[in-house]
Amino acid sequence: MIRSETKIRVRYGETDQMGYVYYGVYAQYYEVGRVEAMRLLGFSYKQIEEQGILMPVIDFSISYKKPAFYDDEITVVTYIREKPTGLRINFEYECFNPAGELINNGKVTLVMLDKATNKMCKIPSWFQNAFNPFF
């Protein structure tokens, strides 16, 4: 299993009139966590794209438990619980407030696209091999 923690400070512009983090912002927070989790594998999204692979999101779900507020430093914990095979890679998330309370959890599924053809493709062996030390 891969587990990554990322700290994010809530900016004023990310909150709504109630002072809560706007619900749609969590997709961006999850992306920050996902990018950092990928770095644990030894490469960045930029390097993946330079290898001709795009990774669009095809499924996103989230369950809200508590709000986060302006200037909170939240912790985004990102998990990859299974070695990806085929066309997809699944990420799971938990966000915690400064008191360590769970504020939401979610899942995101991405697929591999060949950049040249814009068609789905199998996960390349170099990408799959990066998971070996973790599984």
Side-chain angles (χ1 to χ4, degrees), residues 111-134:
V111 293
M112 300 286 166
L113 287 185
D114 181 301
K115 192 174 182 179
T117 65
N118 208 34
K119 295 189 184 218
M120 289 196 324
C121 63
K122 290 186 98 175
I123 297 170
S125 60
W126 59 266
F127 191 97
Q128 279 190 328
N129 291 339
F131 288 87
N132 291 341
F134 301 94

mmCIF file of all heavy atoms in Angstrom, residues 111-134:
data_model
loop_
_atom_site.group_PDB
_atom_site.id
_atom_site.type_symbol
_atom_site.label_atom_id
_atom_site.label_comp_id
_atom_site.label_asym_id
_atom_site.label_seq_id
_atom_site.Cartn_x
_atom_site.Cartn_y
_atom_site.Cartn_z
ATOM 1 N N VAL A 111 -7.901 6.831 -15.571
ATOM 2 C CA VAL A 111 -7.541 5.868 -16.609
ATOM 3 C C VAL A 111 -6.306 6.376 -17.337
ATOM 4 O O VAL A 111 -5.961 7.550 -17.259
ATOM 5 C CB VAL A 111 -8.674 5.618 -17.636
ATOM 6 C CG1 VAL A 111 -9.849 4.931 -16.984
ATOM 7 C CG2 VAL A 111 -9.091 6.885 -18.331
ATOM 8 N N MET A 112 -5.664 5.462 -18.024
ATOM 9 C CA MET A 112 -4.497 5.799 -18.830
ATOM 10 C C MET A 112 -4.952 6.074 -20.262
ATOM 11 O O MET A 112 -5.716 5.295 -20.836
ATOM 12 C CB MET A 112 -3.507 4.634 -18.856
ATOM 13 C CG MET A 112 -2.995 4.231 -17.509
ATOM 14 S SD MET A 112 -1.823 5.451 -16.929
ATOM 15 C CE MET A 112 -1.706 4.983 -15.223
ATOM 16 N N LEU A 113 -4.473 7.189 -20.811
ATOM 17 C CA LEU A 113 -4.730 7.518 -22.208
ATOM 18 C C LEU A 113 -3.401 7.667 -22.928
ATOM 19 O O LEU A 113 -2.465 8.275 -22.396
ATOM 20 C CB LEU A 113 -5.473 8.850 -22.350
ATOM 21 C CG LEU A 113 -6.932 8.948 -21.993
ATOM 22 C CD1 LEU A 113 -7.461 10.339 -22.350
ATOM 23 C CD2 LEU A 113 -7.760 7.894 -22.663
ATOM 24 N N ASP A 114 -3.349 7.142 -24.125
ATOM 25 C CA ASP A 114 -2.197 7.370 -24.988
ATOM 26 C C ASP A 114 -2.324 8.803 -25.505
ATOM 27 O O ASP A 114 -3.325 9.164 -26.146
ATOM 28 C CB ASP A 114 -2.217 6.362 -26.132
ATOM 29 C CG ASP A 114 -1.043 6.518 -27.063
ATOM 30 O OD1 ASP A 114 -0.872 7.617 -27.642
ATOM 31 O OD2 ASP A 114 -0.294 5.548 -27.225
ATOM 32 N N LYS A 115 -1.331 9.623 -25.221
ATOM 33 C CA LYS A 115 -1.379 11.040 -25.587
ATOM 34 C C LYS A 115 -1.491 11.240 -27.102
ATOM 35 O O LYS A 115 -2.163 12.156 -27.569
ATOM 36 C CB LYS A 115 -0.130 11.741 -25.053
ATOM 37 C CG LYS A 115 -0.152 13.229 -25.107
ATOM 38 C CD LYS A 115 1.083 13.802 -24.416
ATOM 39 C CE LYS A 115 1.097 15.291 -24.398
ATOM 40 N NZ LYS A 115 2.293 15.814 -23.703
ATOM 41 N N ALA A 116 -0.870 10.370 -27.880
ATOM 42 C CA ALA A 116 -0.864 10.515 -29.335
ATOM 43 C C ALA A 116 -2.226 10.194 -29.952
ATOM 44 O O ALA A 116 -2.649 10.847 -30.903
ATOM 45 C CB ALA A 116 0.214 9.618 -29.943
ATOM 46 N N THR A 117 -2.907 9.190 -29.405
ATOM 47 C CA THR A 117 -4.175 8.756 -29.989
ATOM 48 C C THR A 117 -5.395 9.226 -29.202
ATOM 49 O O THR A 117 -6.514 9.142 -29.699
ATOM 50 C CB THR A 117 -4.225 7.218 -30.078
ATOM 51 O OG1 THR A 117 -4.211 6.692 -28.741
ATOM 52 C CG2 THR A 117 -3.067 6.665 -30.887
ATOM 53 N N ASN A 118 -5.162 9.669 -27.963
ATOM 54 C CA ASN A 118 -6.237 10.058 -27.055
ATOM 55 C C ASN A 118 -7.195 8.907 -26.780
ATOM 56 O O ASN A 118 -8.380 9.105 -26.539
ATOM 57 C CB ASN A 118 -6.991 11.277 -27.581
ATOM 58 C CG ASN A 118 -7.589 12.096 -26.461
ATOM 59 O OD1 ASN A 118 -7.017 12.203 -25.379
ATOM 60 N ND2 ASN A 118 -8.748 12.674 -26.706
ATOM 61 N N LYS A 119 -6.652 7.679 -26.809
ATOM 62 C CA LYS A 119 -7.445 6.473 -26.521
ATOM 63 C C LYS A 119 -6.879 5.793 -25.277
ATOM 64 O O LYS A 119 -5.697 5.890 -24.974
ATOM 65 C CB LYS A 119 -7.415 5.514 -27.699
ATOM 66 C CG LYS A 119 -8.092 6.103 -28.913
ATOM 67 C CD LYS A 119 -8.257 5.086 -29.990
ATOM 68 C CE LYS A 119 -8.842 5.830 -31.174
ATOM 69 N NZ LYS A 119 -9.781 5.134 -31.904
ATOM 70 N N MET A 120 -7.774 5.089 -24.580
ATOM 71 C CA MET A 120 -7.330 4.378 -23.389
ATOM 72 C C MET A 120 -6.277 3.340 -23.764
ATOM 73 O O MET A 120 -6.330 2.751 -24.846
ATOM 74 C CB MET A 120 -8.507 3.707 -22.686
ATOM 75 C CG MET A 120 -9.412 4.715 -22.031
ATOM 76 S SD MET A 120 -10.592 4.096 -20.795
ATOM 77 C CE MET A 120 -11.094 2.537 -21.359
ATOM 78 N N CYS A 121 -5.330 3.165 -22.831
ATOM 79 C CA CYS A 121 -4.268 2.186 -23.042
ATOM 80 C C CYS A 121 -3.951 1.487 -21.726
ATOM 81 O O CYS A 121 -4.328 1.966 -20.655
ATOM 82 C CB CYS A 121 -3.017 2.863 -23.609
ATOM 83 S SG CYS A 121 -2.274 4.099 -22.508
ATOM 84 N N LYS A 122 -3.278 0.371 -21.823
ATOM 85 C CA LYS A 122 -2.864 -0.354 -20.626
ATOM 86 C C LYS A 122 -1.792 0.440 -19.889
ATOM 87 O O LYS A 122 -1.049 1.209 -20.494
ATOM 88 C CB LYS A 122 -2.319 -1.729 -21.002
ATOM 89 C CG LYS A 122 -3.380 -2.695 -21.500
ATOM 90 C CD LYS A 122 -2.793 -4.057 -21.719
ATOM 91 C CE LYS A 122 -3.118 -4.858 -20.500
ATOM 92 N NZ LYS A 122 -2.730 -6.248 -20.572
ATOM 93 N N ILE A 123 -1.730 0.231 -18.591
ATOM 94 C CA ILE A 123 -0.696 0.871 -17.783
ATOM 95 C C ILE A 123 0.659 0.357 -18.253
ATOM 96 O O ILE A 123 0.882 -0.855 -18.279
ATOM 97 C CB ILE A 123 -0.915 0.581 -16.292
ATOM 98 C CG1 ILE A 123 -2.258 1.185 -15.846
ATOM 99 C CG2 ILE A 123 0.236 1.117 -15.458
ATOM 100 C CD1 ILE A 123 -2.692 0.763 -14.461
ATOM 101 N N PRO A 124 1.569 1.238 -18.641
ATOM 102 C CA PRO A 124 2.877 0.789 -19.148
ATOM 103 C C PRO A 124 3.671 0.041 -18.074
ATOM 104 O O PRO A 124 3.514 0.289 -16.871
ATOM 105 C CB PRO A 124 3.584 2.091 -19.526
ATOM 106 C CG PRO A 124 2.532 3.146 -19.567
ATOM 107 C CD PRO A 124 1.438 2.697 -18.681
ATOM 108 N N SER A 125 4.527 -0.853 -18.496
ATOM 109 C CA SER A 125 5.307 -1.662 -17.555
ATOM 110 C C SER A 125 6.184 -0.799 -16.661
ATOM 111 O O SER A 125 6.312 -1.077 -15.470
ATOM 112 C CB SER A 125 6.140 -2.702 -18.298
ATOM 113 O OG SER A 125 7.023 -2.065 -19.192
ATOM 114 N N TRP A 126 6.793 0.285 -17.192
ATOM 115 C CA TRP A 126 7.634 1.142 -16.361
ATOM 116 C C TRP A 126 6.834 1.776 -15.234
ATOM 117 O O TRP A 126 7.337 1.996 -14.142
ATOM 118 C CB TRP A 126 8.338 2.222 -17.192
ATOM 119 C CG TRP A 126 7.427 3.140 -17.954
ATOM 120 C CD1 TRP A 126 7.015 3.001 -19.249
ATOM 121 C CD2 TRP A 126 6.785 4.321 -17.455
ATOM 122 N NE1 TRP A 126 6.162 4.025 -19.604
ATOM 123 C CE2 TRP A 126 6.011 4.856 -18.518
ATOM 124 C CE3 TRP A 126 6.788 5.000 -16.242
ATOM 125 C CZ2 TRP A 126 5.246 6.012 -18.394
ATOM 126 C CZ3 TRP A 126 6.031 6.157 -16.112
ATOM 127 C CH2 TRP A 126 5.274 6.649 -17.186
ATOM 128 N N PHE A 127 5.544 2.044 -15.500
ATOM 129 C CA PHE A 127 4.662 2.627 -14.489
ATOM 130 C C PHE A 127 4.293 1.562 -13.455
ATOM 131 O O PHE A 127 4.394 1.790 -12.247
ATOM 132 C CB PHE A 127 3.417 3.184 -15.181
ATOM 133 C CG PHE A 127 2.552 4.043 -14.306
ATOM 134 C CD1 PHE A 127 2.671 5.420 -14.334
ATOM 135 C CD2 PHE A 127 1.602 3.481 -13.483
ATOM 136 C CE1 PHE A 127 1.863 6.219 -13.540
ATOM 137 C CE2 PHE A 127 0.800 4.269 -12.688
ATOM 138 C CZ PHE A 127 0.923 5.641 -12.713
ATOM 139 N N GLN A 128 3.910 0.390 -13.920
ATOM 140 C CA GLN A 128 3.555 -0.705 -13.011
ATOM 141 C C GLN A 128 4.737 -1.118 -12.145
ATOM 142 O O GLN A 128 4.574 -1.378 -10.954
ATOM 143 C CB GLN A 128 3.051 -1.915 -13.792
ATOM 144 C CG GLN A 128 1.606 -1.798 -14.190
ATOM 145 C CD GLN A 128 1.084 -3.100 -14.745
ATOM 146 O OE1 GLN A 128 1.813 -3.858 -15.369
ATOM 147 N NE2 GLN A 128 -0.185 -3.350 -14.520
ATOM 148 N N ASN A 129 5.924 -1.155 -12.709
ATOM 149 C CA ASN A 129 7.106 -1.569 -11.959
ATOM 150 C C ASN A 129 7.420 -0.641 -10.798
ATOM 151 O O ASN A 129 8.005 -1.064 -9.799
ATOM 152 C CB ASN A 129 8.323 -1.685 -12.879
ATOM 153 C CG ASN A 129 8.187 -2.848 -13.849
ATOM 154 O OD1 ASN A 129 7.433 -3.778 -13.624
ATOM 155 N ND2 ASN A 129 8.924 -2.764 -14.947
ATOM 156 N N ALA A 130 7.027 0.622 -10.904
ATOM 157 C CA ALA A 130 7.282 1.580 -9.823
ATOM 158 C C ALA A 130 6.526 1.209 -8.546
ATOM 159 O O ALA A 130 6.900 1.610 -7.449
ATOM 160 C CB ALA A 130 6.904 2.987 -10.278
ATOM 161 N N PHE A 131 5.474 0.422 -8.671
ATOM 162 C CA PHE A 131 4.673 0.004 -7.519
ATOM 163 C C PHE A 131 5.275 -1.197 -6.770
ATOM 164 O O PHE A 131 4.892 -1.468 -5.637
ATOM 165 C CB PHE A 131 3.242 -0.348 -7.958
ATOM 166 C CG PHE A 131 2.430 0.842 -8.336
ATOM 167 C CD1 PHE A 131 2.461 1.342 -9.629
ATOM 168 C CD2 PHE A 131 1.634 1.476 -7.406
ATOM 169 C CE1 PHE A 131 1.705 2.445 -9.985
ATOM 170 C CE2 PHE A 131 0.880 2.581 -7.740
ATOM 171 C CZ PHE A 131 0.918 3.063 -9.041
ATOM 172 N N ASN A 132 6.208 -1.900 -7.410
ATOM 173 C CA ASN A 132 6.737 -3.136 -6.829
ATOM 174 C C ASN A 132 7.255 -2.995 -5.403
ATOM 175 O O ASN A 132 6.968 -3.864 -4.564
ATOM 176 C CB ASN A 132 7.793 -3.751 -7.735
ATOM 177 C CG ASN A 132 7.189 -4.302 -9.018
ATOM 178 O OD1 ASN A 132 5.993 -4.552 -9.094
ATOM 179 N ND2 ASN A 132 8.031 -4.470 -10.024
ATOM 180 N N PRO A 133 7.994 -1.950 -5.052
ATOM 181 C CA PRO A 133 8.483 -1.851 -3.673
ATOM 182 C C PRO A 133 7.366 -1.691 -2.620
ATOM 183 O O PRO A 133 7.596 -1.928 -1.439
ATOM 184 C CB PRO A 133 9.355 -0.599 -3.674
ATOM 185 C CG PRO A 133 9.707 -0.364 -5.106
ATOM 186 C CD PRO A 133 8.561 -0.890 -5.901
ATOM 187 N N PHE A 134 6.183 -1.310 -3.046
ATOM 188 C CA PHE A 134 5.088 -1.032 -2.119
ATOM 189 C C PHE A 134 4.096 -2.175 -1.969
ATOM 190 O O PHE A 134 3.283 -2.192 -1.049
ATOM 191 C CB PHE A 134 4.335 0.228 -2.559
ATOM 192 C CG PHE A 134 5.192 1.445 -2.628
ATOM 193 C CD1 PHE A 134 5.789 1.834 -3.835
ATOM 194 C CD2 PHE A 134 5.445 2.197 -1.498
ATOM 195 C CE1 PHE A 134 6.574 2.955 -3.903
ATOM 196 C CE2 PHE A 134 6.245 3.321 -1.561
ATOM 197 C CZ PHE A 134 6.822 3.703 -2.763
#
